[in-house]
Amino acid sequence: MIVSEGFKLPKGFKASGIHAGIKKYKKDMALIYSPGVCTSASTYTTNKVKAAPVQYDISVKDLPKHGIIANSGNANAVTGAKGLEDAARMAFEAAGYLDAAKEDFFVCSTGVIGVHLDMEKIRNGIKELVRNLSESDESAKDASEAILTTDTMRKECSVTVRIDGRDVVVSGFAKGSGMIHPNMATMLCFVTTDCAISHEALQQMLGSSVEDTFNMISVDGDTSTNDTCIVLANGEAGNREITGKGREYDAFKEALTYVLGRLACMIAKDGEGAGRFIEVKVEGARSKKDARILARSVVSSNLVKAAFFGSDANWGRILCAMGYSGASFDPGRVKLLFSSEKGSVVVLEDGEPVGFDEDKAKAILLEPSVSVLAVLGDGNAKATAWGCDLTYDYVRINGDYRS
């Protein structure tokens, strides 16, 4: 598997990103398009309050697709019947310019909740997006930039993997900085590939990969109304279609999971106001489910996040978060370690405190990326979750988000 920098369009895909005036200055509309028909897979927010584009996408998710039309700056969420009409209209407008049906396009929005879209700006934006469609790296960059809101950087990843003797590209970009919490989706993520794969195989694969990637990150404990992850596969690589499990299925799944995992970590690192990236590893759990629950509980704890903001080796908060998680484990067998590029320090052994050098621990926790390892000794299962610290800037950013 070869990893490339940035978001590279696979064979047969085009993209564009523009400023349509939804936001004051930044790009705010994106289009991904394949003239060839794509199989697709998708997952959506578990929030009962689902934005209009999410409701629309769910209604057409099993149909073949040509692309995705997206906007940022306005979530089109909690906007009633008009919001649903506007979401469908976005698909209809894109389809009209590209000789397709509205069901051929997914629609995604992100931004402020409770405000109707300015459909004149949307319509003019779609016209410009279609005019600017290109296979160039610059157009791919424009598209990935156009879906950002409070993000401070683009989140992109591309890999090439050998499938059935053919080079297959799996390439994705995402947005996410706040309202990030486990239970997919947690953000917007668009993945394109020129692999030939059936809808059923791709959907099964995406669901499994999301469990170990996007469902294992948390920034602030809020699950958004608009969270969506979409994969489009147009088959242009020319490999024999993957329809079920086997060597080719495993190779493609590894590539897809790698891309999703990289994007998930980028989202966690770019959490609103974040100063420190946190990785929580749980090993020796009785089951994979228990390991996931424990890791997510720790990385989601505001008290743990606050301790990392202060570079405080407060291991008691970690054990507390594990204890209320609901997972099965024996507290009397737990070993806890902190580590970073400055080294590692054991703070708990067999459920009892260990004397450790506070200065060394402080130096370890002052690093921009810090890892927690919890070894349980109850079994062989393991899991990893990712998040960030909780800072003053998080409150500042979200205190005036609509301004």
Side-chain angles (χ1 to χ4, degrees):
M1 186 168 63
I2 302 172
V3 180
S4 304
E5 291 297 323
F7 172 61
K8 307 292 184 182
L9 287 166
K11 188 183 302 182
F13 281 96
K14 300 179 180 181
S16 58
I18 63 156
H19 175 237
I22 302 168
K23 295 190 290 194
K24 289 182 179 179
Y25 308 112
K26 299 178 180 179
K27 293 183 180 70
D28 50 25
M29 289 195 72
L31 177 63
I32 299 172
Y33 173 67
S34 169
V37 176
C38 301
T39 56
S40 69
S42 53
T43 58
Y44 304 95
T45 181
T46 56
N47 194 319
K48 288 186 178 180
V49 181
K50 291 178 171 57
V54 172
Q55 295 179 56
Y56 172 80
D57 287 350
I58 290 173
S59 73
V60 299
K61 66 183 179 65
D62 294 326
L63 301 174
K65 291 288 178 288
H66 279 291
I68 304 166
I69 179 74
N71 75 272
S72 61
N74 186 321
N76 191 13
V78 197
T79 46
K82 185 180 187 306
L84 286 170
E85 292 173 6
D86 290 345
R89 173 61 64 173
M90 286 179 67
F92 178 82
E93 294 284 344
Y97 287 112
L98 294 166
D99 193 27
K102 72 175 184 179
E103 294 82 7
D104 294 342
F105 286 85
F106 284 111
V107 177
C108 292
S109 299
T110 182
V112 176
I113 293 172
V115 179
H116 288 118
L117 289 169
D118 185 329
M119 289 307 293
E120 182 177 358
K121 290 179 179 178
I122 293 289
R123 282 190 290 268
N124 291 337
I126 291 172
K127 186 186 299 184
E128 186 177 352
L129 283 168
V130 172
R131 188 164 55 242
N132 290 354
L133 277 172
S134 168
E135 300 172 352
S136 70
D137 289 346
E138 190 63 29
S139 291
K141 173 184 171 182
D142 288 342
S144 69
E145 185 178 324
I147 66 170
L148 305 181
T149 51
T150 58
D151 307 66
T152 66
M153 64 178 185
R154 299 194 312 276
K155 299 163 179 69
E156 307 166 331
C157 182
S158 297
V159 302
T160 302
V161 60
R162 199 75 173 166
I163 303 287
D164 189 31
R166 306 296 180 95
D167 283 338
V168 168
V169 176
V170 184
S171 192
F173 64 94
K175 67 84 52 180
S177 187
M179 291 191 88
I180 304 295
H181 189 59
N183 296 324
M184 183 60 211
T186 63
M187 76 293 121
L188 297 184
C189 174
F190 306 145
V191 177
T192 54
T193 179
D194 46 19
C195 184
I197 183 170
S198 71
H199 167 70
E200 293 76 14
L202 188 59
Q203 186 64 56
Q204 180 184 45
M205 190 182 296
L206 177 64
S208 175
S209 295
V210 158
E211 280 296 302
D212 287 325
T213 56
F214 292 126
N215 276 3
M216 297 301 291
I217 60 175
S218 182
V219 169
D220 53 16
D222 283 310
T223 300
S224 171
T225 55
N226 291 62
D227 304 334
T228 303
C229 179
I230 295 169
V231 183
L232 298 178
N234 66 8
E236 292 286 330
N239 62 289
R240 284 175 293 186
E241 184 182 45
I242 298 172
T243 58
K245 292 188 176 180
R247 185 177 64 181
E248 308 295 0
Y249 179 101
D250 291 342
F252 183 77
K253 182 181 178 183
E254 180 183 3
L256 176 64
T257 303
Y258 179 85
V259 169
L260 298 185
R262 283 286 298 273
L263 294 175
C265 286
M266 290 177 193
I267 289 172
K269 288 180 180 179
D270 195 32
E272 288 176 342
R276 192 159 286 110
F277 173 67
I278 305 168
E279 179 182 70
V280 177
K281 296 181 178 180
V282 173
E283 297 180 356
R286 287 189 176 93
S287 68
K288 182 75 169 180
K289 180 180 178 181
D290 285 327
R292 283 174 172 157
I293 291 172
L294 288 163
R296 291 192 304 189
S297 184
V298 173
V299 86
S300 302
S301 165
N302 282 337
L303 285 177
V304 171
K305 290 173 178 291
F308 276 106
F309 171 62
S311 303
D312 179 12
N314 193 337
W315 56 264
R317 292 181 177 179
I318 293 171
L319 200 64
C320 178
M322 293 170 64
Y324 63 62
S325 69
S328 175
F329 75 103
D330 181 356
R333 303 182 70 179
V334 175
K335 178 179 180 179
L336 288 178
L337 300 86
F338 293 118
S339 62
S340 71
E341 289 189 356
K342 293 295 185 180
S344 64
V345 60
V346 177
V347 295
L348 190 74
E349 186 85 57
D350 292 329
E352 295 188 5
V354 174
F356 61 92
D357 186 332
E358 289 280 1
D359 291 336
K360 179 181 179 181
K362 187 78 170 182
I364 290 169
L365 298 181
L366 279 169
E367 289 297 293
S369 294
V370 178
S371 179
V372 176
L373 173 61
V375 182
L376 308 185
D378 297 325
N380 299 313
K382 59 184 179 179
T384 304
W386 303 276
C388 60
D389 57 353
L390 186 62
T391 70
Y392 304 132
D393 277 345
Y394 177 84
V395 178
R396 179 187 58 79
I397 290 167
N398 284 281
D400 63 0
Y401 182 70
R402 296 198 306 161
S403 302

